[in-house]
Amino acid sequence: MNETVEPTRCGLVAIVGAPNAGKSTLVNALAGTKVTIVSPKPQTTRFRIRAVVMEGRSQIILVDTPGIFAPRRRLDRAMVAAAWGGAQDADLSVLIVDARAGLTDEVRAIAEKLKGSGRKLMLLLNKADLVEPPRLLPLAKDLNDIVPFAETFMVSALKGRGLDRVKAVLAVNLPEGPYLFPEDDLSDLPQRMLAAEIVREQVLRQTHEEVPHHATVETETWQERKDGSARIEVTIYVTRATQKGILIGDGGAKVKSIGQAARKELEALLERRIHLFVNVKERAGWDEEGGRIRALGLDDPG
C-alpha cells in the first residue's frame, strides 16, 4: 500500500509592527542565523528582507518589514510604503508587539489598518519574559478585540522561547504549493546589499545621536580574488560634515573600528576571507534623492 505523502506548502509571512518591537530579532531567531541587522535603535530595517525557513514540508518565507511610524522624509515614506507593501503581498501577517510597551496608539493604529487587509492575521507578543503574566492576558484580549487574530503567541525572540510553536503553526497555515527557493537558501538578500547592511549595523551600534539615521551605506565594488577571498569597498554617506567627523573619529579610529567589526561578521556569515575598505562621504540630502532610495531596494514614493 502506498503511503500518503504530505503536500509541500510555501508562502510569504509578513512580520509587521511598530519600530523596535523586535521584528529583525524574531526573523533571525526563526531563521537560525543572521539575515537582517539588529540594533537597539528604532527604524533599523529599511527594506523588506526575505528569510527562508524550512519547517517539515513547509517553506516559510519571512518578510521582515521596516517599523511602521509617522513618516517625515522621502526616505521615511518609502520605508512605511515598504512595510505595508510587505503585509499586502503576504499570505499571512504576524503583528509583533513589544509586550512591555503594551497597546500604544501606534500599535492600535497598525492593528486597525491590518483588520481590513483580508489576510489571515496572527499576534505575537514579544519580550513576554520581561512582563508579569497577569499583564499579558489582558493585553492579548485588548488586541484581539480590535482584530480577531487566528493565533496569539507569547515569546521571547531574543532568548528563543516559544518559537518552535510559532514555526509549527505558521507551517501548517501556508497554502499548498511548490517551494519558491532552494531548500538550503537562507535569504534573497544580495551579497552586495548584505555587506552594506552589516556595515550600517556597526554605524548604528558604534555612533549615537543624529548620526545613525542620517547615514546610508552602499557597496561600491565587490571583487572576487583567486584565493577565494573577496575585496569589498563600501561608502558611508552622511548629510553633514559634523556627522562625517564623528564617523571618522580621532585619527580614523571610529571608521577603523566599524570596518573591523563588520569584516569579522561578514567573514563569519560568508565563511571566507574578506578584505573590507570603508570610506565616509558627505552628501547633503541623500535621504530625499530618488536614486539613493531606489539603491536601498525601496520604491521611491516621490
Side-chain angles (χ1 to χ4, degrees):
M1 190 171 73
N2 293 330
E3 288 187 21
T4 303
V5 178
E6 282 285 316
T8 59
R9 295 176 179 272
C10 183
L12 293 171
V13 177
I15 311 296
V16 297
N20 239 13
K23 294 180 294 297
S24 297
T25 302
L26 175 68
V27 169
N28 287 339
L30 290 172
T33 188
K34 186 165 197 164
V35 289
T36 180
I37 72 172
V38 177
S39 160
K41 299 178 176 68
Q43 300 168 32
T44 302
T45 301
R46 283 186 174 157
F47 47 84
R48 299 192 295 271
I49 298 173
R50 291 182 178 87
V52 182
V53 178
M54 298 303 302
E55 178 70 12
R57 290 180 58 77
S58 294
Q59 186 174 78
I60 307 167
I61 303 165
L62 299 170
V63 184
D64 178 25
T65 62
I68 296 169
F69 57 98
R72 293 192 303 274
R73 303 170 295 171
R74 191 171 181 171
L75 172 64
D76 296 341
R77 293 195 295 276
M79 288 165 62
V80 171
W84 285 120
Q88 289 163 2
D89 295 344
D91 295 288
L92 63 92
S93 295
V94 176
L95 172 61
I96 179 171
V97 175
D98 181 341
R100 294 178 305 174
L103 182 50
T104 62
D105 290 343
E106 206 169 26
V107 169
R108 184 182 294 276
I110 295 168
E112 291 281 3
K113 189 162 181 177
L114 281 173
K115 186 163 60 173
S117 70
R119 298 283 188 275
K120 182 176 283 189
L121 304 172
M122 298 185 183
L123 172 65
L124 187 144
L125 299 181
N126 190 28
K127 309 176 189 178
D129 56 318
L130 304 177
V131 177
E132 292 297 318
R135 284 182 52 206
L136 288 172
L137 290 178
L139 175 59
K141 181 184 182 302
D142 289 345
L143 281 158
N144 274 274
D145 284 345
I146 300 171
V147 185
F149 291 100
E151 289 281 346
T152 298
F153 307 103
M154 299 182 186
V155 312
S156 168
L158 186 63
K159 296 180 180 176
R161 293 179 185 169
L163 299 186
D164 286 346
R165 178 171 172 261
V166 175
K167 284 195 283 190
V169 172
L170 292 179
V172 298
N173 278 278
L174 295 177
E176 292 183 12
Y179 298 153
L180 295 178
F181 292 92
E183 291 182 51
D184 57 354
D185 270 14
L186 292 172
S187 174
D188 69 347
L189 186 66
Q191 287 192 343
R192 289 174 70 99
M193 202 168 272
L194 175 68
E197 280 292 276
I198 294 298
V199 172
R200 189 166 72 87
E201 178 176 37
Q202 290 305 319
V203 172
L204 285 160
R205 289 184 176 278
Q206 297 193 38
T207 62
H208 306 285
E209 297 170 2
E210 85 281 8
V211 174
H213 299 302
H214 289 275
T216 189
V217 183
E218 292 183 24
T219 301
E220 308 287 356
T221 63
W222 183 303
Q223 296 174 334
E224 295 290 340
R225 296 170 55 138
K226 290 180 180 178
D227 62 1
S229 66
R231 184 190 189 279
I232 307 168
E233 189 169 334
V234 303
T235 299
I236 305 170
Y237 290 97
V238 291
T239 56
R240 290 197 289 276
T242 52
Q243 297 162 353
K244 180 179 178 181
I246 291 168
L247 270 171
I248 292 173
D250 292 340
K254 180 61 70 177
V255 73
K256 183 178 180 182
S257 175
I258 288 169
Q260 286 175 337
R263 177 183 56 77
K264 285 180 183 177
E265 181 135 10
L266 279 167
E267 287 183 336
L269 285 168
L270 301 176
E271 298 179 334
R272 58 196 293 207
R273 185 115 183 268
I274 297 296
H275 308 276
L276 180 65
F277 299 86
V278 181
N279 305 304
V280 183
K281 293 182 180 178
E282 179 189 352
R283 190 180 182 100
W286 71 261
D287 50 2
E288 294 288 345
E289 291 180 22
R292 292 264 169 243
I293 289 168
R294 288 189 294 274
L296 290 171
L298 292 164
D299 294 327
D300 175 26

